[in-house]
Amino acid sequence: MVKIEDISKSSNQSEEKQLKSTSSKPKYSFAAKSLFKGSNNITTYYFSISNTFQCVASQSIQTWLLSDDGHIYTSGGDYVLDVAKAGYFVELAKFDSNSKTQIWTINTANNKIQNQGNGKYLDIDNLNIVVAALNGNATQKWTTFRKAPIPTGNWGYFQSKQLDSNNDYWGLSVLNNSTSNNTSVVMNKVEAKSKGQIWQMTSDGHILSRLDGNLVLEVGPSINGSTTNYYLDTNAYQANNLKQQWGINENNQIFNQYYPNLCIGFIGQLGVDSNVYCVLAQPTSNTDINFQWITNPTYSLNEIVNEEPLPFPAYTSGDLLASYQYLSNVATLNSTDNIRSLYTSINVSLENFYVKVTVATCPPSIHSTADFLNVQNQIETELTYAIYVRLVFDNYSGFYSKLFSQGSTNLTNLANLINVDMSSDQVVNGNPTDAITSVFYAIISEIPIGGSIIANIGQSAVEWGELYSESSSSGPTTYQVTLSKLYDHLNANYNNEMANAQSMKNTILQDWGMMSKTFALCFLPTNNPSSLNINGLSFQKISAIASTAYQTAMIQMLLPTNYQIYFTPAGYFSPNVSDDCSYTDSTGTYIMATIDNCNSYPPKALTDKLWNNGVSKKELFTSAYGWNLGTSVTYYNMVGKYSRMFKLSFPTVKNFTGVPMKFVMTNGSDRVGTFQVKTHFAGLASTYYDSGALGHHYYDIAVTDINGNKVVNFTVDNNLEALEGSYVSIKTGSLVVQPGYVIGNPTCNQGSFSQAFAASILIPIYKSN
């Protein structure tokens, strides 16, 4: 049974069904991401897998894929909408080509959705989704609209639609960029290099701060005891806390899932008051601009290409057809009588076509001058729009080509600097999509006003490619590649990204509605997050930022092949090492050195490429965000039991997702400990344990998310041999990965008997597409 719920009457969110499927996803000729909105004349509902809430743009359970043959698929493509055997309740079922009850007709004229198996209509009965005979009730009226959800997992700004007196944008900001819990959220002018203004919306509605893992937006204290007005704070990510979960409705309002009728706004005047605090309150209307938000980037092209196709005006007969064919021949020197077929051709000049069309006069063979002028004006407009659309994509292609023009040379130089053998079959974790996404993040972080233009095009092309790729799901090979194949892998990704952008451009150029809306974006002010206005942009500056970011992404892939982190807990001796190669916090001291020698440090030429280019020491040494270095636990004074460290291995679980995790380490019958793993951070099991005699010894790792759901289980093989440091690996056949996750290549580094440091193993966990 598919059920709906009015959460304005309940603070308890129903548990989402666990949908699992081992079958591959079907292909769709019309993969439209859509939402279904219904009403009982009192409350608006949005149709979802288990419940119907207000529109949550990031909620995959509210997004459906419509196929040309009338099937309505879940967003994952695993299940379709069906009618239960009793013929009343609606349920989710596996695709059955012989089942007519899985086929629906959506009539946008009367807002009805009819089942083809029994002829009944989608309806609401006591918050259950059912089918019933046509009854004229409002509960049988549904509005089906396509909406491109905000790509979750991407970093960006939440900017108010309300500008200050200087037409500057302001956005949600953590006060003083503090990483402390219960810190106020205020409005600050959007500025470069301010991590406190950068957020990520997760698939379950959490809004993560880029300041630190697990730091999320939360409903804060009441304002003067009010039950409808609250401040906003940041706090640690908590399980099942609806005050930390948010949604975005069609009015561009950010509402809270615990208080669904309250939305985020602010108190005060932007640019006038010293502190403008963000609040959760009731908007005065759906158009209250102080409660309306824009994401930056907006991924505006992603929204456009997901809209209903709108064909060009059709000229099928009479003087209209004759005029169209005549103008086509005049413009193309008689090469075609269908000029629209050449809008996507890279071998023609649309500018020359435009000139010829504008000076053309009505020939005697066409009797209606009015029809001729009508067609002439339309073709002039189309050519104008097409010229601008092509210019935008040509500039993006030029930027992207420049970024990769020295790809092979740059990769070779970095490999030499890190001392990596690029002919080796050693496997690295190399996800090129993450690499290019990190480039877009760097651009909007450094150039928040204007830089979003590149991200709007590039990330939309990435999303486009994922939607229409030949592969329906990503497997571990997406994240693993040998060093000898790394350049080929990156080059293939470059070609795919270029092809995706070209495909998206051609789709826009073949659709009148998409072309018109894309053209309109070309004339928005550059500071508008939806803008595609490239005038005044410094592509030289953007290219420099992108080049540095991509270089850092390459270092993130290569560095773990020759370097690891040596961690000594606070209170124990550690050597005095250059600041370039060490980092200290309250937990202890971290030193970067080669994987086989804890006293061999990276050259200054390498560390300069890190610290001089804005890499965070905390993030690198703790394997946060894009970094994933193995970590060896090391006691340099080697006293007592710690002199046997070389017999041990210590696991690190790297969480590349937006949901906190934890893992339990069990050594035989002994539970070594439970270790927390923040979002986008790594968790290290640094607790000492007994290793045993020579030979193979095993300990088990069980990883769960913050809600207690299983993520991955595996057994670590710790192999001890005489006068050697331990060898570490994942025991063959022990790895069990839950649906929705992908495990990257484990980084396994042997311990050292002579230097008495432990072995290390890092297991990266990704969210699958």
Side-chain angles (χ1 to χ4, degrees), residues 16 113 146 200 251 275 277 283 293 412 455 464 486 499 513 521 557 657 705 733:
E16 180 181 345
I113 301 177
R146 294 162 60 120
Q200 178 188 100
N251 301 314
N275 279 319
Y277 286 91
W293 301 87
T412 299
W464 176 268
L486 181 57
L521 297 182
M557 291 184 188
T657 81
D705 68 18

Side-chain angles (χ1 to χ4, degrees), residues 426-441:
Q426 182 176 357
V427 177
V428 296
N429 291 300
N431 182 2
T433 299
D434 284 350
I436 191 60
T437 298
S438 69
V439 169
F440 301 143
Y441 164 73

Side-chain angles (χ1 to χ4, degrees), residues 170-176 182-188 221 223 230-233 263-270 273-281 290-291 293:
W170 291 59
L172 293 180
S173 309
V174 180
L175 184 63
N176 299 325
N182 303 313
T183 298
S184 296
V185 176
V186 298
M187 295 294 290
N188 281 333
I223 301 176
Y230 300 87
Y231 290 110
L232 294 183
D233 285 347
C263 301
I264 295 178
F266 56 86
I267 300 174
Q269 284 187 278
L270 300 177
D273 297 332
S274 56
N275 279 319
V276 177
Y277 286 91
C278 295
V279 298
L280 187 70
N290 285 1
F291 286 81
W293 301 87

Side-chain angles (χ1 to χ4, degrees), residues 360-638:
T361 57
C362 184
S365 59
I366 296 176
H367 305 292
S368 174
T369 304
D371 283 352
F372 179 83
L373 293 176
N374 178 306
V375 175
Q376 185 178 41
N377 290 335
Q378 175 65 26
I379 300 304
E380 287 178 3
T381 302
E382 291 177 16
L383 286 169
T384 300
Y385 290 7
I387 288 168
Y388 274 91
V389 170
R390 286 170 50 143
L391 180 62
V392 165
F393 279 91
D394 287 348
N395 274 280
Y396 174 75
S397 297
F399 151 80
Y400 202 66
S401 296
K402 184 176 181 181
L403 180 63
F404 288 91
S405 61
Q406 300 296 320
S408 177
T409 301
N410 292 340
L411 189 62
T412 299
N413 291 340
L414 287 175
N416 291 336
L417 196 57
I418 298 172
N419 195 21
V420 174
D421 179 7
M422 292 304 294
S423 64
S424 166
D425 286 334
Q426 182 176 357
V427 177
V428 296
N429 291 300
N431 182 2
T433 299
D434 284 350
I436 191 60
T437 298
S438 69
V439 169
F440 301 143
Y441 164 73
I443 292 172
I444 65 168
S445 178
E446 296 276 346
I447 314 176
I449 305 301
S452 59
I453 294 174
I454 294 297
N456 278 336
I457 303 171
Q459 192 63 47
S460 292
V462 170
E463 298 284 328
W464 176 268
E466 289 177 353
L467 181 61
Y468 292 98
S469 63
E470 289 300 320
S471 174
S472 60
S473 62
S474 67
T477 54
T478 303
Y479 301 97
Q480 301 173 25
V481 60
T482 61
L483 284 170
S484 61
K485 299 293 184 182
L486 181 57
Y487 176 73
D488 291 341
H489 196 60
L490 296 173
N491 190 56
N493 185 73
Y494 159 74
N495 289 327
N496 287 339
E497 174 70 2
M498 293 289 280
N500 291 338
Q502 181 75 15
S503 173
M504 187 165 60
K505 178 187 73 172
N506 289 344
T507 297
I508 293 170
L509 289 171
Q510 293 168 347
D511 184 275
W512 177 229
M514 294 180 190
M515 185 192 291
S516 301
K517 291 182 178 180
T518 303
F519 173 77
L521 297 182
C522 296
F523 289 90
L524 289 176
T526 303
N527 69 339
N528 188 305
S530 297
S531 176
L532 296 179
N533 187 349
I534 59 177
N535 292 327
L537 276 189
S538 173
F539 276 93
Q540 183 176 1
K541 181 178 181 180
I542 290 175
S543 295
I545 293 169
S547 179
T548 299
Y550 195 72
Q551 173 183 267
T552 300
M554 296 302 98
I555 295 175
Q556 289 174 337
M557 291 184 188
L558 296 175
L559 199 61
T561 62
N562 195 39
Y563 290 92
Q564 70 174 342
I565 303 301
Y566 294 86
F567 172 68
T568 303
Y572 292 87
F573 168 80
S574 62
N576 186 16
V577 177
S578 165
D579 286 344
D580 283 344
C581 304
S582 64
Y583 167 77
T584 300
D585 63 14
S586 61
T587 64
T589 298
Y590 302 78
I591 295 173
M592 179 166 49
T594 57
I595 58 179
D596 57 0
N597 186 344
C598 62
N599 298 311
S600 177
Y601 311 118
K604 193 172 189 311
L606 174 57
T607 56
D608 281 350
K609 287 187 178 295
L610 300 171
W611 318 135
N612 292 349
N613 289 324
V615 171
S616 162
K617 279 194 170 185
K618 175 183 177 180
E619 293 177 9
L620 185 148
F621 282 96
T622 60
S623 287
Y625 299 99
W627 300 98
N628 58 335
L629 292 162
T631 301
S632 170
V633 179
T634 308
Y635 289 82
Y636 288 90
N637 53 0
M638 299 180 294

